[in-house]
Amino acid sequence: MKVSLNWLKEFVEVPVDTRRLKADLVSIGLNAESSQAVGEDIVLDVEVTSNRPDCLSHYGVAREVAALYRKRLAPLEFICKESSAPASAEASIDILNPKLCARYCGRVIRGVEVKPSPDWLVRRLEAVGQRSINNVADVTNYVLMELGHPLHAFDLTRLEGRKVIVRSAKAGEQLQTLDGVSRTLVATDLVIADATRPVALAGVMGGEKSEISDNTQTILLESAWFDPVSIRRTSKSQGLHTEASHRFERGADIEMAPVALDRAAVLIAQLAGGEILRGVIDVYPSPKIRTFIELHRSEIQRVLGAEVPWEEVERVLRTLGFQVERRGTEGWRVTPPSFRQDVERKIDLIEEVARHYGYNRLPSRVRPAPPRLIAGQTRNKELEISSTLVALGYREIIPSAMIDPEENAKFTERPPVPLENPLSQDAAAMRSSAVPSMVHTLKWNLDRYRSDLRLFEMGRVYSARAKGLPEERRVLVLGATGNREPASIYSAEKKIDFHDLKGDIEEVLDCFNLPDLRFEPAAAPYLEKGSAGRFVSGEAALAILGSLRADLADEYKLRGRTVWLAAIELDALLSAALRQPSYKPISKFPPVERDFSLVIPRSTPYGRLQEAIRGLGIEELRSVAPVERRLPGDKELPEGAIPPGHVSLLLRITFQSPTRTLASDEVETQSRRIVAALGPLGVQIRG
Amino acid sequence: MSESETENRIPPKKARSRSRMSIDDKTNKTLKDLDVKTPEAIGELFAELSLALDSERQHLIGEGASDDHERAQKVKALRDRWLARKGGQVSLIDENWLKKAPKELKPTVGRAFNQLRQQSASVETEQLLQDVPIRGSATAHPETTKAEFGVGRPSVDITLPGYRRPLGSIHPVTRVMREIEDIFLGLGFSIESGPEVESVYYSFDALNIPESHPARDEWDTLYVNSETVLRPHTSPVQIRAMKKHGAPLYILCPGKAYRHDNPDSTHATMFHQVEGLAVDTDITFADLKGTLEYFAKKFFGDKIKTNFSPSFFPFTEPSGELVISCVFCGGEGCRVCKESGWVEVMGCGMVHPEVLRHGGIDPERYSGWAFGLGVERFAMMKYDINDIQLFHQGDVRFLEQF
Ligand SMILES: [Zn+2]
């Protein structure tokens, strides 16, 4: 809302400079962001919140300024010089739908001369962002900006039967509005009609047919009150937002209707001549009466935490137009004015008091909340996971959760959650897999010459359900490509591979107490076949990992890079307990290491060797570690050292007892048992 | 020789002599004097000796010698310490422990002693002369055991960068969110969350924003269908938490929210909010002011000034806006604060009685305050970031700065 300072001063004295005025307006909730000089005037840009339609006018802002500086607000008195001919003989008004149009006031002015407005009027309208049209139309706009009440002027001779009928539209009725658009109306639209057809979209915009033209001589001035919900519905369904609809849908002042009408009639008579016919045609079937609100002093104290003096409460409310009647020593009966439809309850009154008393004058105190145990908090677990990942070199990302549903389908069979009004096809649904977001982010960086990447996201995936809200699951996605460590004087470069990612996931899983954790082959639509695996705890699959399918990588133009991906079920992980450390005494006896140089068939996975060895239940077994793995044809080995279809594996096994130094013959015995247990797996001892 | 090298040389020597003393102490006594009565204790005692033998040998190898003569001397000293016929550790053990052991422990002591004697072959003169290297300088660092350090001391270019393993990083939005959480956790608040795909009822109606009110238009909302939206703010969690826990309630609800906004440098379709809510029997506007002033000073620094101005939100009344003095110019006026010296940081207010009622809480008995803030906006202010799009692109050149 643009506010002209000169215009404002017609209603109230402003005892401060502009800078101060702006700051003071902000302090009472009128956000005066900026101001600029327009000729000899200064125009403020005031942001009016949607609950305060009364401040969408100069007079409304002047009322707040009067309360702010304890100045007198000029009263509104407009005296029309009426002729003796009664208006009611020239036009008739009929409201068929009094719920949606509670009041309709009309005046008839005869013999006007439609012509350009005088300079002062043009300038004022331009200062507040309105274009001048002609003297009659300009007056209606002027009164709108001044008093906040929308008016409309009809060419009375163009109204069939000189009639105004306020009614609901008939579905399919046509109306050409002033913006030149031909509109098809629906039954919920409220219209102003003459005897035969709609002539205006009530409270939103007039029609072209009945528009004031240069030849117009007799006008019917409309000043009405329309139901906010109805105006909002029509404005939305017609996609038409106007100064009038903006005010009506927020709630116009029903008592302002005849006042604004008189103001406009006086101005028109002054600028366009003509005679104002006798009387206002005022159709107001059931006048609205506001009831009082009881306000107790203790309630002000209870909400604001401060005792505001009696006089202060009364002064604020009275200067804002409220009727205040003191009730004993307890409080007041307060009747809000007709222009304050936003005030319905005690709390609304308390806000008015606080607003003008000053938020910054109210006390403040800080107290901690009473301590309270709440089960199921997962924050510590999340911190544990993310700090582990950061230590492992992963950077956190927070990509958009919106996706092209077709792309989503390449990654999962779960249905995503499509949006009704997406901004673009790229973001037409809520993802049901977070993996594509990761692939996008890896690509973004690869395209920007960053090639060693390890990223993680802790986010959600969404999938539609037949009934109720969609399912939301929390997931942790890892993405990695390039080198684990770049080449430097300290180390050679080392490419990230499957086992890097597997080990990183193991570190994360290791934060938790996960019973019966195992690793097994797995498959996912986006992972390369045959080299994907998953971690399972009990019945629950916790994590799947592998490399992005080569054809998908090509589709994403990943520059021929191998991209490693893992999707971890965060909900499952967070429902597990964090692993509680439990101390085991450190053995004081020396460990004994034995190396086993093995030749094993390629078809025998390492996991089976490990199972076989662990299966022996050797109490002194501390660790089993694969130290070196070589393939046939290894140049450091003699020709044929490894038969085709086999690999050699150096296995280092450590024994240690908590209670004694192990004798060499004991270690030998256990070593023989281990070799024997590996035999059935086709394992041979080399050299 | 620099001072630091001199200092470095001293502590290991001390440490060594201390441990030698304690072994010597033990081998000069009998098992009875040492109160060693069980096979386990004997095992431990011998394990200690075995470790001492090995570490003294390793130490000598690591230390090396400056020439043949010094090597011969050092080798002899260590060999004699363990293997001298008279006073060597091995013979002391034979004398004081094995020979004087009670009958029932003799086999155990004998077995352990044999193992130790086998191990002690590693400090025979011949073996040690092979193992102990000759270093270029007599001032070789005595503490290190790695050959290249001692030899290469003069050639180490200490100005080369340190060997840094790549670490990851936490997203700035997460950092800011955690910082906010920490402040409120410190005040005894707890953390709540709710669905991002939310019902229209929880997103609007329960928050006192009926369909018919123009205020509803202030949330440009992404719809799933007529009853379901992507939550345009984290406020629905307020209602869910009230229903779930009742009063008193002190909670923080961090999370994602969505708007039908075309992305530009200040608008993102997806962003993060933190919602705070306190409901109790004696909460007033003073608690709202005090707590948020405390929070703002904790977060932005205690030099900032705070200011509250009235505003309108359908779910609070009275409603306000917390404004702080600009963190960039200190209130002088700059580009960030549009020359005003002040920056709006969050909306807040006393919880509207209707909202309490929707949450199943009696507004006659309880009152509350609430706030909502944009995390990206906070991060932009904190780290001087000028484009909100950076947060969700995942560009490593951005992420690695945090
Ligand atoms: Zn500034």
Side-chain angles (χ1 to χ4, degrees), chain B residues 268-342:
Chain B
T269 316
M270 181 187 88
F271 58 99
H272 295 76
Q273 278 194 337
V274 174
E275 189 90 3
L277 172 73
V279 179
D280 213 330
T281 48
D282 59 346
I283 282 187
T284 72
F285 199 78
D287 295 297
L288 162 90
K289 278 186 69 180
T291 312
L292 292 183
E293 281 161 359
Y294 169 81
F295 163 70
K297 289 189 180 202
K298 274 279 230 190
F299 189 88
F300 291 108
D302 53 11
K303 287 201 178 62
I304 59 140
K305 292 192 283 286
T306 57
N307 201 10
F308 288 85
S309 58
S311 187
F312 170 68
F313 307 107
F315 33 88
T316 50
E317 185 148 22
S319 298
E321 200 76 64
L322 171 62
V323 181
I324 63 166
S325 55
C326 178
V327 286
F328 291 100
C329 62
E332 297 285 307
C334 70
R335 169 186 57 84
V336 176
C337 57
K338 292 180 193 143
E339 308 303 329
S340 71
W342 295 93

Side-chain angles (χ1 to χ4, degrees), chain A residues 90 167 187 200 202 286 304 322 324 423 427 501 506 514 539-540 655:
Chain A
E90 288 296 316
R167 60 164 169 87
S286 39
L304 301 184
F322 294 77
V324 182
L423 280 150
L501 194 65
E506 283 170 344
L514 297 166
E539 293 302 304
F655 302 92

Side-chain angles (χ1 to χ4, degrees), chain B residues 7-8 57 85 102 138 151 159-160 175-176 202 219 308 364:
Chain B
E7 281 166 10
N8 280 345
R57 177 175 161 272
R85 291 189 79 107
V151 181
T159 64
L160 281 170
R175 282 174 74 114
V176 165
Y202 278 114
W219 288 265
F308 288 85
E364 296 298 323

Side-chain angles (χ1 to χ4, degrees), chain A residues 232 302-303 348 351 359-360 362 365 369 379 386 390 394 396 420-421 444-445 450 462 472 485 490, chain B residues 161 163 168-169 174 178 181 187 196-197 217 221 223 282 285-287 289 307 317 319 394-396 400:
Chain A
R232 180 168 152 79
R302 179 181 174 237
V303 176
D348 303 323
E351 181 176 55
Y359 279 13
N360 291 311
L362 290 168
R365 67 173 172 186
R379 186 173 187 264
S386 66
V390 168
Y394 288 79
E396 188 187 14
E420 209 173 66
N421 58 337
W444 173 281
N445 285 290
R450 297 306 284 260
Y462 316 78
E472 293 184 26
E485 274 186 53
Y490 306 113
Chain B
Y163 178 21
S169 55
T174 308
R178 284 188 190 161
E181 288 168 10
L187 283 171
E196 291 170 21
V197 186
D217 294 346
T221 308
Y223 280 83
D282 59 346
F285 199 78
D287 295 297
K289 278 186 69 180
N307 201 10
E317 185 148 22
S319 298
D395 196 315
V396 167
E400 68 193 3

